[in-house]
Amino acid sequence: MPHTHHLGSFDEPMLVFGGPYGNRQALDALLATAATLGIPNGRMLCTGDLAAYAAEPQAVADRIRDASIAVVMGNVEESLGADAEDCGCGFTSGSECDVMAAQWYRYAADAVDQETKRWMRDLPRRIDLSLDGVSIAAIHGGVDQINRFVFPATPTAEKSIELDKADTDIVIGGHSGLPFTQLLGRRLWHNAGAIGLPANDGTPRVWFSLLHPHENGISIDLHALHYDHAGAAAAIRAAGLPTAYAEALETGFWPNDDIMPDADRHRRGVALTEQTLLWSPSCQAAAAAE
Ligand SMILES: [Fe+2]
């Protein structure tokens, strides 16, 4: 049964990103940005779902694997690695997302080679690390449910239960695709968002984060990423994938947000801002928009 990988202890900035979703153009932009920022591959972390809505899942997996970037297994890697019949995303059966998922999952299952699927099968379900003495667990969805959706508006009690299970100061999650950072008591939940799909905020930007030590704790900087979204959208159309996702890359709106809590759905079209949150384990958190 897959496992927890211990990535190590760090005292320099970590770059965290989620949901590449087969969007090779976005991944290339992210890797170029990391190089500009001076972040080596060994201090990058991906929260999974290398394949999904966009057209180049094999190229995305190859780039991440060749770079030896740490990856938490997502439900898509779990499904592709097991030759499962569907993506295991957790969409409601028969919903619009579920119907489109059947199309992109079949495409990904055909596009990704067997050797890569074997690599996906062995990815860790959890990656633990320490950043300047602060304990961090990176997971995909929930601690023991890979496709649990944890959104900004998911009740704090549910997040606290997950933090209890993780038994760390900070949990980094993925899967839901929306970037956010939330203080829960003296602990923290962070989602870096997705680079493969915009944040339903009406802009084509995608998101990643930098975590770095500061005087008394950790600074979490949420960054917007601009990339060749027109090229990625054209590739989706050329591949015959659901065009709703090509439109999503262009407009910044998800094709369907039924899966979200109401409070998050009501923020549709509200442009996100880059933010920094300073957190210390003792603790008060202070957020500052840049
Ligand atoms: Fe996922």
Side-chain angles (χ1 to χ4, degrees), residues 126-178:
R126 167 173 169 162
I127 293 178
D128 281 355
L129 64 137
S130 170
L131 183 59
D132 207 27
V134 173
S135 60
I136 300 174
I139 56 174
H140 183 66
V143 172
D144 51 15
Q145 182 188 333
I146 197 168
N147 66 355
R148 177 185 291 277
F149 286 104
V150 179
F151 283 104
T154 296
T156 56
E158 290 184 28
K159 293 173 179 131
S160 294
I161 290 170
E162 295 294 324
L163 280 157
D164 289 345
K165 291 179 190 170
D167 195 24
T168 53
D169 297 315
I170 295 176
V171 166
I172 297 174
H175 189 53
S176 67
L178 293 184

